[in-house]
Amino acid sequence: MTDDLDIRRHHSRMSKLRAEGLRVKYMHLSALSPTTRKSHADRHGQLFTAAEVREFWSDPENIKGCKCSITEVMVDELGKPIVPSIQKRALKAYETMKKRGYEWSK
């Protein structure tokens, strides 16, 4: 069962999605905590379209207890970050947290 806090978090995430046509993608930011699900941790630092974000969070199981967030990343015409260091930092954080040996990292 999804509780009120889950629903508020979900609405907050979804409100960040902008209208199509802007050249942005959305970087998934997982909490990378001991309770993070592998499917959520695997998305950390990855870029997604608004439609892909909506699809992921359309599954109630992905909303339940989720502490993830998204942030807009400006991309070029090929969908690559204009400032690649933002994605590199997120991927580095993933690798650092993975070394802690949480269940999602196995």
Side-chain angles (χ1 to χ4, degrees):
M1 174 106 193
T2 305
D3 65 21
D4 288 339
L5 180 57
D6 290 336
I7 292 168
R8 284 195 307 273
R9 281 189 193 127
H10 176 66
H11 285 292
S12 175
R13 286 188 294 256
M14 299 310 283
S15 71
K16 293 180 181 181
L17 297 177
R18 301 226 178 167
E20 295 293 329
L22 297 175
R23 215 172 341 188
V24 296
K25 284 195 173 180
Y26 299 89
M27 184 165 54
H28 188 101
L29 298 170
S30 171
L32 301 176
S33 68
T35 59
T36 295
R37 288 168 269 187
K38 182 166 178 28
S39 61
H40 292 227
D42 288 347
R43 293 172 64 89
H44 185 83
Q46 301 301 315
L47 299 179
F48 299 95
T49 64
E52 291 168 328
V53 171
R54 284 187 192 99
E55 181 181 338
F56 178 75
W57 275 317
S58 69
D59 180 347
E61 287 301 310
N62 284 334
I63 297 170
K64 186 177 179 181
C66 179
K67 299 173 194 162
C68 298
S69 185
I70 55 173
T71 191
E72 290 180 339
V73 175
M74 291 175 45
V75 295
D76 62 19
E77 52 280 341
L78 299 175
K80 303 294 181 194
I82 291 175
V83 181
S85 61
I86 189 168
Q87 187 177 28
K88 288 178 185 174
R89 283 193 305 266
L91 296 172
K92 183 178 178 183
Y94 173 88
E95 291 303 322
T96 298
M97 294 302 286
K98 188 175 178 180
K99 292 176 185 173
R100 293 187 179 188
Y102 295 144
E103 190 61 35
W104 58 262
S105 69
K106 298 174 183 167

